[in-house]
């Protein structure tokens, strides 16, 4: 049985605790900020009207007996506290009025608003904290499958390699993790290894070529893409996320192929970037960049035999007259094994016709 207590705290005290660094709103188990402005405005209007909203969950954290202090973490309520902070900072308005435009009485009422809090008697690195976060969101549509997966497998080495490729892990902060940006249970050996890796090209390809929108990245959609690219490169094609789910479990403690996969995907991305495709190229469509990456990664040992300019020309010619079955495979049921194999067949033909 987990000890907890239900209490209320004024909005003012909650904001001040965050600003003083004694309440962390975005700990390692949290999702990225994904609320749209309409959600922020609607939530703030709820407070301005004096209506209640669901309770915020907080882990009490460990008491520092020397400094006589403690650092707590928000377990559920990050989007709401972010909206509150941003409104106070006059980042957005509600019905044409910023926080600075409220009367003194309105500002006072806003700051005195009482927030229902469930305070869990748990330290922030207790695995139960992460499990509670997952359970709170298990039946909710607010978290996507990959967001839940990223939380559940946060210390799986297979997931950590994917996060490294997707620029989703803070390598600089590991030695001073007082704000719990990264899971304290990640082995220090992984950070030592990760700092030695070069993944700039792959990250540039996935996040810097408009393949994914900023909202996609905030919801970790690119992370699922990366995991499936890794899994397909390792074992061949499969339906949706089948092999990836297995690998997250099988390689939870150690992923022996991590050096090879990093080198292969970084070299592949470097080759694709050298093509200098148009910013809105058909090949930067999500399903196409997946297939292009996998096809080239599987030919990486013979990459020098592919003439870059000829390959680029052949890709652009293909784009001008796309076969009907390929076009369908890149727009419908794109994650099915059959559609992935069909796209791969066509791309390999383009590669073969580009070999010197």
């Amino acid at each position: 049985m987990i000890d907890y207590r239900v209490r209320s705290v004024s909005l003012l005290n909650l904001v001040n605790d965050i600003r003083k660094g004694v309440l962390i709103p975005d700990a390692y188990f949290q999702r990225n900020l994904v609320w749209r402005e309409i959600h922020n405005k609607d939530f703030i209007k709820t407070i301005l009207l004096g209506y209640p909203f669901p309770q915020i969950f907080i882990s009490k954290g460990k008491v520092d007996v020397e400094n006589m202090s403690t650092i707590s973490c928000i377990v559920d309520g990050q989007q709401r506290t972010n909206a509150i902070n941003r409104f106070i900072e006059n980042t957005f308005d509600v019905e044409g009025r910023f926080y600075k435009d409220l009367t003194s009485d309105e500002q006072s009422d806003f700051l005195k608003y009482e927030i229902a809090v469930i305070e869990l008697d748990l330290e922030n690195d207790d695995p139960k904290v992460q499990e509670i976060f997952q359970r709170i969101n298990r039946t909710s549509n607010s978290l996507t499958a990959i967001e839940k997966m990223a939380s559940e497998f946060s210390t799986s080495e297979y997931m950590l390699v994917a996060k490294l490729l997707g620029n989703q892990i803070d390598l600089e902060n590991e030695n001073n993790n007082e704000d719990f940006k990264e899971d304290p249970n990640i082995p220090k050996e992984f950070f030592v290894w990760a700092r030695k890796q070069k993944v700039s090209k792959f990250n540039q390809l996935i996040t810097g070529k408009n393949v994914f929108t900023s909202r996609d990245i905030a919801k970790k959609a690119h992370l699922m893409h990366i995991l499936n690219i890794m899994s397909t490169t390792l074992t061949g094609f499969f339906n949706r996320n089948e092999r990836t789910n297995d690998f997250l479990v099988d390689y939870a403690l150690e992923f022996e192929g991590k050096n090879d996969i990093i080198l292969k995907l970084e070299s592949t991305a470097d080759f694709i970037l050298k093509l200098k495709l148009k910013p809105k190229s058909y090949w930067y469509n999500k399903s196409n960049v997946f297939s292009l990456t996998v096809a080239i990664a599987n030919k990486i040992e013979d990459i020098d035999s592919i003439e870059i300019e000829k390959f680029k020309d052949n890709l652009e010619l293909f784009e001008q007259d796309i076969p009907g079955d390929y076009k369908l495979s890149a727009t419908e049921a794109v994650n099915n094994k059959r559609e992935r194999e069909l796209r791969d067949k066509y791309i390999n033909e383009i590669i073969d016709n580009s070999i010197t």
Side-chain angles (χ1 to χ4, degrees):
M1 182 73 177
I2 296 173
D3 289 333
Y4 67 90
R5 69 186 181 109
V6 181
R7 64 186 179 93
S8 66
V9 59
S10 70
L11 185 150
L12 175 63
N13 286 338
L14 185 81
V15 171
N16 281 336
D17 283 349
I18 292 173
R19 291 182 174 180
K20 289 186 292 186
V22 297
L23 176 61
I24 307 301
D26 53 353
Y28 61 94
F29 47 80
Q30 285 282 359
R31 67 192 304 191
N32 292 330
L33 296 170
V34 295
W35 269 15
R36 297 182 186 274
E37 212 69 334
I38 189 173
H39 300 135
N40 290 318
K41 292 184 178 189
D42 191 53
F43 172 68
I44 295 300
K45 187 176 179 181
T46 297
I47 298 176
L48 292 172
L49 290 171
Y51 296 163
F53 61 80
Q55 65 268 20
I56 287 175
F57 284 72
I58 292 175
S59 57
K60 287 176 64 176
K62 185 177 182 178
V63 175
D64 185 332
V65 293
E66 291 186 7
N67 297 319
M68 298 180 66
S69 64
T70 185
I71 294 179
S72 303
C73 285
I74 291 178
V75 178
D76 188 66
Q78 178 198 25
Q79 309 288 334
R80 286 169 282 170
T81 53
N82 177 67
I84 291 168
N85 266 316
R86 290 187 61 225
F87 182 64
I88 292 175
E89 293 168 355
N90 298 297
T91 305
F92 64 89
D93 67 277
V94 176
E95 297 184 338
R97 301 174 74 200
F98 289 90
Y99 176 76
K100 64 183 180 181
D101 299 324
L102 302 180
T103 66
S104 295
D105 286 343
E106 287 173 325
Q107 289 182 351
S108 178
D109 288 341
F110 184 78
L111 296 174
K112 288 191 297 184
Y113 180 93
E114 289 291 317
I115 297 172
V117 171
I118 293 183
E119 192 175 63
L120 306 167
D121 190 14
L122 292 171
E123 295 183 11
N124 301 317
D125 58 353
D126 191 314
K128 294 189 185 72
V129 172
Q130 198 161 348
E131 183 180 350
I132 290 170
F133 169 76
Q134 293 163 12
R135 286 183 176 277
I136 290 171
N137 292 282
R138 182 164 292 173
T139 58
S140 170
N141 292 324
S142 61
L143 289 183
T144 63
I146 182 57
E147 286 175 320
K148 293 175 183 177
M149 192 180 290
S151 176
E152 181 180 357
F153 294 100
S154 63
T155 61
S156 168
E157 188 161 82
Y158 197 71
M159 176 66 79
L160 291 172
V161 171
K163 285 184 175 181
L164 178 65
L165 286 164
N167 196 27
Q168 288 280 298
I169 190 164
D170 187 354
L171 298 179
E172 303 302 322
N173 199 44
E174 182 264 335
N175 288 325
N176 184 23
N177 198 21
E178 293 179 357
D179 54 5
F180 294 92
K181 296 293 185 184
E182 298 298 342
D183 192 328
N185 299 301
I186 297 174
K188 292 187 180 296
E189 293 77 14
F190 177 81
F191 287 98
V192 173
W193 171 83
R195 290 193 191 95
K196 298 176 182 177
Q197 307 309 306
K198 296 180 180 180
V199 293
S200 59
K201 299 296 183 182
F202 188 83
N203 185 251
Q204 183 183 344
L205 173 64
I206 294 296
T207 65
K209 289 297 179 181
N210 297 318
V211 179
F212 294 91
T213 66
S214 57
R215 182 168 173 78
D216 287 335
I217 293 173
K219 293 177 77 66
K220 295 184 171 67
H222 70 307
L223 185 58
M224 190 75 255
H225 217 66
I226 294 167
L227 283 164
N228 282 331
I229 286 173
M230 289 168 55
S231 302
T232 305
T233 302
L234 289 172
T235 66
F237 296 102
F238 50 88
N239 284 315
R240 301 194 67 80
N241 311 323
E242 290 174 351
R243 300 272 175 83
T244 290
N245 292 333
D246 293 338
F247 287 153
L248 285 168
V249 175
D250 294 344
Y251 299 138
L253 297 179
E254 184 178 11
F255 175 34
E256 293 182 351
K258 59 181 179 291
N259 288 305
D260 292 337
I261 201 74
I262 289 286
L263 180 60
K264 181 176 286 189
L265 294 183
E266 184 69 2
S267 300
T268 297
D270 183 49
F271 180 83
I272 295 174
L273 292 173
K274 285 178 179 176
L275 295 171
K276 296 182 179 179
L277 298 170
K278 295 176 293 185
K280 294 186 178 181
S281 170
Y282 179 67
W283 298 104
Y284 286 142
N285 163 286
K286 291 182 181 67
S287 56
N288 291 333
V289 81
F290 169 90
S291 295
L292 189 62
T293 301
V294 169
I296 294 174
N298 288 333
K299 298 269 190 179
I300 202 67
E301 293 181 1
D302 303 314
I303 199 73
D304 291 338
S305 64
I306 303 174
E307 187 179 327
I308 287 184
E309 286 303 319
K310 189 175 182 180
F311 184 50
K312 178 182 179 181
D313 291 342
N314 286 338
L315 287 173
E316 291 176 344
L317 284 171
F318 186 89
E319 185 176 348
Q320 292 171 19
D321 187 20
I322 305 168
D325 56 348
Y326 184 97
K327 184 180 293 186
L328 196 63
S329 75
T331 54
E332 296 184 17
V334 297
N335 295 320
N336 286 348
K337 179 181 179 181
R338 189 181 67 157
E339 277 66 28
R340 286 171 170 172
E341 288 177 335
L342 188 146
R343 296 197 305 269
D344 185 70
K345 178 177 73 72
Y346 274 105
I347 293 173
N348 270 287
E349 288 175 0
I350 298 173
I351 292 174
D352 291 341
N353 290 330
S354 305
I355 293 176
T356 53

